Amino acid sequence: MKKRNVDLVCDIAELISLEEVGRDRRELLQKVVTSVAKHMMADVCSIYIYDEEEKVLTLRATQGLEPAAIGTVKLQLGEGITGRAVRELRPICVGSASQSSSYKFFPGIHEEEYEAFLTVPILRGLRRIGALVVQARDANYFTPNDVKALRAIAAQLATMIENVQLLSGARVEAEAEPQPVRRTLSENILRGRSASTGTARGKAYTLASGHAESCLLPDPESNGHTVADFELAIEKTAQQIEKLQRQTSEELADVAVLIFSAHLLILEDDQFTGRISNLIRTGTPGVKAIATVVDEYVEVFSKSKMPLIREKVLDVKDLGNRLTRNLLNETDEECDYRGQIIIAHELLPSDILKLSAENVEGFIISSGVTSHNAIICRSLGIPMVALARELADGIPDGEALLMDAEQGIVYLKPSDEVYAKYRELDAAWKVLHDAADVKEETRAKCGERVHIYANINLLSDLKPARKFKAEGVGLYRSEFPFIVRNDFPPEDEQYVIYKKLVDQMEGKTVTFRTLDIGGDKMLSYYSNVNEANPFLGMRAIRFSLRNKDIFCQQLRAFLRAGAEGNTRIMFPLVSSVDDFINARTIVYECMDELEAEGIPFSRETQLGVMMELPSAVEVVDELAAEADFLSIGSNDLIQYMLAVDRTNEQVSSLYLAHHPAILRAINRIVSAAMTLGKDVSICGDLSADPRMLPFLLGVGLRNFSIDIVNAPTVQRMVNNIAIKDAEEMADAMLDLGRISQIEAFLLERNLAPAAEA
């Protein structure tokens, strides 16, 4: 009888799925080890949980060993075969355990009866969670396929186990912070900064970080509800969340991996729902009981030193809101955020996805806008405006708002005239961005061909990319499936995402950018998240080269996805020719591995460089000679050339795309590529800037990767530009050495730079 590893992975996924998991997590671990032992035809399967403070692994579930060993068998980090695997963050497969120098004997649990030993660490990113172990009587029993299967199961277990640990570890007393004092605003028009364009209408809903009362909970004095009523509310809430998770997983398959899992974990927590039940049982009105317990959890979570705990604040507030509405039998079946504009000091990417799934109208943020949050909002079509903290804090809950996220303006209690004006503007915007006006080919006034590609952030961007006739994907930002997860997605999971992207582009060019984290795009589960200066730290290609295992998994997934497609790979934040050659060498190693394993891929996959750093500009001739193509990442190029953090409101006015140093750097990059006959493109905000488009065409750029909804506008602009005129304009601008001179030049041609936010 053959081992059924594929069935095993599917069965474990079903065991852990939100629909099937019971409330006893210890029982779940026991079910997992039983299922693994059965499918792998192993005599023993065990799960160890790691205590980070004590540096100890404790046996928590086993099938095959003495049950009394549970909770008593402990291993120091590095002790025994299992402790060594967890310390070294790698699987260890031993044909004969008794002959291994790392073997640790425990009397009385009968482990010595089993020779074959396979252990896989359970990891969340690079953080140790525990270990999954299988053993068999026969020596050399386990195969490389068994290792792969066990790694897949360990990845599925990691998030569930850690969430349980976080929730249990967070129950500590915390002193309540005073509620922020709200100021009465003296005007009805608030001016901020645009982060994601569009207009939104709705009522203000503040996601403050302090107390549950800031959730839109109804009157806490409502009475007459029994414990039975509350249990029905729990059941209805669970059904809603499970439905929401399924729906989100279908619509946002690449980034929606169990983003509502914390909701159900909290709902299943007896100390949460049980405490509410006890309050109701002793006479506290149901709604007030929910508010009291939610408030306690919010205080504890928000004051935690652990970022992973603080991330649960929104989850517990949302859960309290749903429980209350369901207890009151409100007619709104979905209990979502339609008609609401969320005001928050800060939001996580996963928060944005959750609130998007619950039909939020828009966001007002009162901290610096991170680039990944802005990009996600743009992809989801949700307007976002950044306001000063004192302005955002002064907006009363329930206040009628209209957001003009194009200009960064928020209207309080907008008049009928304001509403009428924005209805007209919305209609005009639809005309300007009508996909029906986009032609299959883009040509300048003189007939020269220009290519427009799409920036893809989420798989949901593929629909507008096809609608607006994108000629391919000029930039796929691969970090988003990493940012919103609780762990590094494994190779097979990445492959599924990338393959969908390639398949849906139907043979058109797809350019994958390798993982670009760091700066303001941090992974909460990466151990080095608190760098002194993250924009100059372990980010982008530096992270990938330092973490070769993670890099190789992504590269292998890229190569596999492009086996029958037209794909390219480019490396971000390259600072030297050596960076590129080191990355290219690893790609070739991955190709050799895939070939040896008989896995299809394309040896013709082109490898390119994102030009974003001053040091790269200085060696652009050498980079152009080595790389297959160059891509100008305009956002970071401007940021690093000018030493301006574009997310810092204090200096954002110095972030100038028309700075003479930027113009000359772009010209130098394009010239180097053209001299060697290499393809060169531009992406970032500058690529769709109508003020700078003539200059970009004038220096020789013909490939533009843009947020594809801007395609109609960009195409119309290109149609009205003669290349000869653009070249003359570019030559004139390159001769100017002052910002003021360039601004005056553009003003003369009715292309004056807009005021920077």
Side-chain angles (χ1 to χ4, degrees):
M1 185 175 178
K2 294 182 178 180
K3 301 173 189 176
R4 296 175 294 165
N5 288 347
V6 174
D7 290 345
L8 167 61
V9 174
C10 295
D11 284 2
I12 297 300
E14 185 176 354
L15 256 180
I16 302 174
S17 70
L18 295 181
E19 289 85 9
E20 301 297 332
V21 172
R23 298 191 178 187
D24 189 339
R25 300 289 163 165
R26 288 170 295 184
E27 180 184 347
L28 172 63
L29 292 181
Q30 191 58 45
K31 286 182 178 179
V32 168
V33 295
T34 301
S35 182
V36 172
K38 175 184 175 184
H39 284 75
M40 295 186 73
M41 301 178 66
D43 297 306
V44 175
C45 179
S46 306
I47 290 178
Y48 290 80
I49 302 298
Y50 181 63
D51 185 317
E52 195 165 355
E53 289 187 8
E54 300 292 332
K55 309 294 186 197
V56 168
L57 286 154
T58 302
L59 181 67
R60 291 300 181 191
T62 187
Q63 173 70 30
L65 297 182
E66 181 63 37
I70 295 174
T72 60
V73 170
K74 297 178 184 290
L75 293 165
Q76 298 292 324
L77 186 64
E79 184 181 20
I81 300 173
T82 300
R84 180 181 161 201
V86 174
R87 183 188 65 191
E88 297 177 4
L89 305 177
R90 67 182 181 91
I92 295 179
C93 185
V94 178
S96 181
S98 63
Q99 303 302 311
S100 171
S101 59
S102 298
Y103 180 69
K104 170 76 174 180
F105 173 68
F106 285 97
I109 67 172
H110 308 298
E111 192 174 29
E112 66 277 7
E113 299 174 12
Y114 310 104
E115 277 295 299
F117 196 107
L118 168 58
T119 178
V120 173
I122 301 172
L123 306 173
R124 183 177 183 272
L126 302 179
R127 186 174 292 121
R128 300 171 177 91
I129 304 300
L132 183 58
V133 179
V134 287
Q135 297 169 259
R137 294 182 188 277
D138 298 336
N140 303 308
Y141 183 75
F142 299 112
T143 68
N145 281 337
D146 295 328
V147 177
K148 289 182 180 179
L150 221 61
R151 290 184 73 169
I153 296 160
Q156 294 179 55
L157 286 171
T159 299
M160 182 275 290
I161 292 172
E162 184 164 64
N163 274 335
V164 172
Q165 289 175 325
L166 290 175
L167 288 171
S168 60
R171 300 185 188 100
V172 294
E173 292 187 5
E175 295 179 3
E177 293 182 353
Q179 282 285 73
V181 177
R182 288 190 175 275
R183 300 178 182 176
T184 303
L185 297 174
S186 58
E187 55 185 59
N188 287 338
I189 301 177
L190 310 180
R191 299 184 184 278
R193 193 157 54 94
S194 172
S196 175
T197 60
T199 57
R201 301 157 180 80
K203 292 184 178 180
Y205 177 7
T206 302
L207 285 180
S209 60
H211 292 272
E213 284 82 4
S214 59
C215 294
L216 288 183
L217 295 173
D219 179 11
E221 298 306 320
S222 303
N223 208 339
H225 297 107
T226 65
V227 172
D229 295 329
F230 177 61
E231 289 174 349
L232 287 174
I234 293 174
E235 183 178 348
K236 187 174 181 181
T237 300
Q239 291 170 354
Q240 290 169 349
I241 295 169
E242 289 166 0
K243 178 182 176 183
L244 194 57
Q245 179 66 58
R246 288 193 299 270
Q247 174 188 325
T248 310
S249 296
E250 291 170 3
E251 296 174 357
L252 297 167
D254 50 340
V255 289
V257 176
L258 302 182
I259 62 172
F260 290 97
S261 60
H263 285 64
L264 279 185
L265 281 169
I266 298 168
L267 195 63
E268 294 169 1
D269 187 340
D270 287 338
Q271 293 197 41
F272 178 77
T273 53
R275 174 151 165 70
I276 297 173
S277 295
N278 288 336
L279 287 174
I280 295 172
R281 194 174 287 111
T282 56
T284 304
V287 174
K288 187 172 183 179
I290 294 172
T292 299
V293 176
V294 168
D295 186 59
E296 291 171 355
Y297 269 68
V298 167
E299 289 179 2
V300 170
F301 287 179
S302 62
K303 294 179 74 67
S304 173
K305 294 179 180 179
M306 298 178 64
L308 295 170
I309 293 291
R310 294 196 299 272
E311 291 175 12
K312 308 300 180 190
V313 169
L314 176 60
D315 297 318
V316 76
K317 287 182 177 181
D318 183 56
L319 197 56
N321 189 35
R322 287 181 175 277
L323 283 168
T324 301
R325 291 184 176 183
N326 287 325
L327 185 65
L328 296 174
N329 287 316
E330 291 196 350
T331 55
D332 183 0
E333 186 70 20
E334 300 301 323
C335 293
D336 61 16
Y337 293 91
R338 69 188 73 220
Q340 307 288 341
I341 292 175
I342 298 294
I343 303 170
H345 179 56
E346 59 184 351
L347 288 170
L348 298 164
S350 55
D351 295 335
I352 292 172
L353 290 171
K354 292 169 192 172
L355 293 164
S356 166
E358 296 181 273
N359 301 302
V360 69
E361 305 293 340
F363 295 112
I364 295 172
I365 196 86
S366 60
S367 62
V369 177
T370 58
S371 62
H372 56 273
N373 278 356
I375 289 168
I376 287 177
C377 282
R378 290 174 197 167
S379 287
L380 296 172
I382 302 175
M384 176 185 274
V385 168
L387 286 181
R389 183 70 180 266
E390 61 271 17
L391 295 179
D393 286 348
I395 301 174
D397 273 342
E399 185 79 276
L401 303 178
L402 188 148
M403 282 174 51
D404 176 353
E406 189 77 36
Q407 301 183 69
I409 295 174
V410 178
Y411 296 89
L412 277 66
K413 297 180 181 177
S415 65
D416 291 341
E417 289 79 10
V418 170
Y419 279 125
K421 171 189 172 185
Y422 277 92
R423 281 194 293 270
E424 293 175 5
L425 289 174
D426 286 347
W429 189 92
K430 288 178 181 178
V431 171
L432 285 173
H433 293 78
D434 187 354
D437 291 342
V438 180
K439 300 172 184 176
E440 294 289 343
E441 293 187 351
T442 301
R443 295 186 180 275
K445 191 174 183 179
C446 54
E448 187 163 344
R449 189 80 163 83
V450 174
H451 303 277
I452 296 179
Y453 298 90
N455 295 333
I456 300 292
N457 311 308
L458 309 175
L459 288 179
S460 57
D461 290 325
L462 287 170
K463 185 176 180 180
R466 294 192 299 271
K467 179 181 176 183
F468 286 95
K469 302 180 178 64
E471 297 183 53
V473 175
L475 168 64
Y476 172 64
R477 295 182 171 103
S478 67
E479 56 270 15
F480 287 100
F482 288 76
I483 287 172
V484 301
R485 280 167 166 75
N486 291 324
D487 198 358
F488 294 107
E491 177 187 328
D492 287 343
E493 192 174 314
Q494 292 183 60
Y495 165 72
V496 170
I497 296 169
Y498 306 150
K499 187 68 164 62
K500 285 182 180 178
L501 176 61
V502 173
D503 289 347
Q504 292 190 42
M505 290 311 296
E506 300 176 336
K508 295 179 179 178
T509 301
V510 172
T511 304
F512 295 116
R513 182 177 71 184
T514 60
L515 185 60
D516 185 10
I517 60 163
D520 63 344
K521 293 181 288 189
M522 300 305 298
L523 305 180
S524 63
Y525 49 86
Y526 174 51
S527 58
N528 294 340
V529 294
N530 295 317
E531 294 183 283
N533 193 337
F535 281 101
L536 300 179
M538 188 55 59
R539 61 167 299 196
I541 194 63
R542 299 169 182 175
F543 173 90
S544 295
L545 292 174
R546 180 72 62 87
N547 297 278
K548 187 176 176 181
D549 287 348
I550 296 167
F551 192 29
C552 287
Q553 287 191 50
Q554 182 173 54
L555 291 173
R556 285 170 57 96
F558 283 157
L559 293 167
R560 290 169 58 193
E564 298 177 0
N566 179 15
T567 61
R568 313 190 303 178
I569 299 172
M570 65 180 176
F571 308 114
L573 215 73
V574 167
S575 63
S576 65
V577 179
D578 305 77
D579 280 349
F580 175 75
I581 291 175
N582 289 339
R584 183 177 64 188
T585 300
I586 295 173
V587 174
Y588 291 161
E589 290 174 3
C590 291
M591 288 180 172
D592 292 342
E593 288 176 3
L594 291 171
E595 188 172 61
E597 296 169 22
I599 298 174
F601 70 97
S602 173
R603 282 268 181 197
E604 305 305 313
T605 303
Q606 291 192 329
L607 305 177
V609 172
M610 286 205 77
M611 300 296 299
E612 302 169 285
L613 297 178
S615 60
V617 175
E618 287 299 312
V619 293
V620 65
D621 296 318
E622 290 87 347
L623 281 170
E626 292 289 343
D628 296 316
F629 65 94
L630 303 180
S631 177
I632 301 169
S634 63
N635 292 350
D636 271 340
L637 180 66
I638 297 168
Q639 172 170 265
Y640 289 112
M641 286 285 294
L642 303 183
V644 174
D645 177 359
R646 64 184 184 272
T647 69
N648 184 336
E649 295 179 6
Q650 300 297 318
V651 295
S652 59
S653 62
L654 303 177
Y655 180 86
L656 301 172
H658 58 278
H659 191 292
I662 302 301
L663 304 186
R664 294 173 188 180
I666 291 172
N667 180 59
R668 187 172 174 183
I669 295 166
V670 176
S671 296
M674 292 176 67
T675 298
L676 293 173
K678 299 295 177 71
D679 182 72
V680 60
S681 61
I682 187 168
C683 57
D685 294 339
L686 182 58
S687 62
D689 187 341
R691 302 164 297 152
M692 299 302 294
L693 194 54
F695 171 83
L696 299 176
L697 290 169
V699 296
L701 280 164
R702 298 294 181 268
N703 301 312
F704 296 81
S705 189
I706 65 174
D707 290 343
I708 201 62
V709 294
N710 295 318
T713 302
V714 173
Q715 191 175 74
R716 277 192 293 269
M717 285 281 295
V718 172
N719 293 159
N720 290 318
I721 297 173
I723 296 298
K724 184 177 179 181
D725 293 341
E727 290 173 344
E728 292 176 356
M729 176 179 169
D731 288 341
M733 292 176 71
L734 289 168
D735 284 339
L736 302 175
R738 297 183 185 178
I739 297 169
S740 57
Q741 291 174 330
I742 294 173
E743 289 174 348
F745 181 89
L746 293 172
L747 185 61
E748 288 177 9
R749 286 154 181 77
N750 296 317
L751 292 170
E756 298 289 344

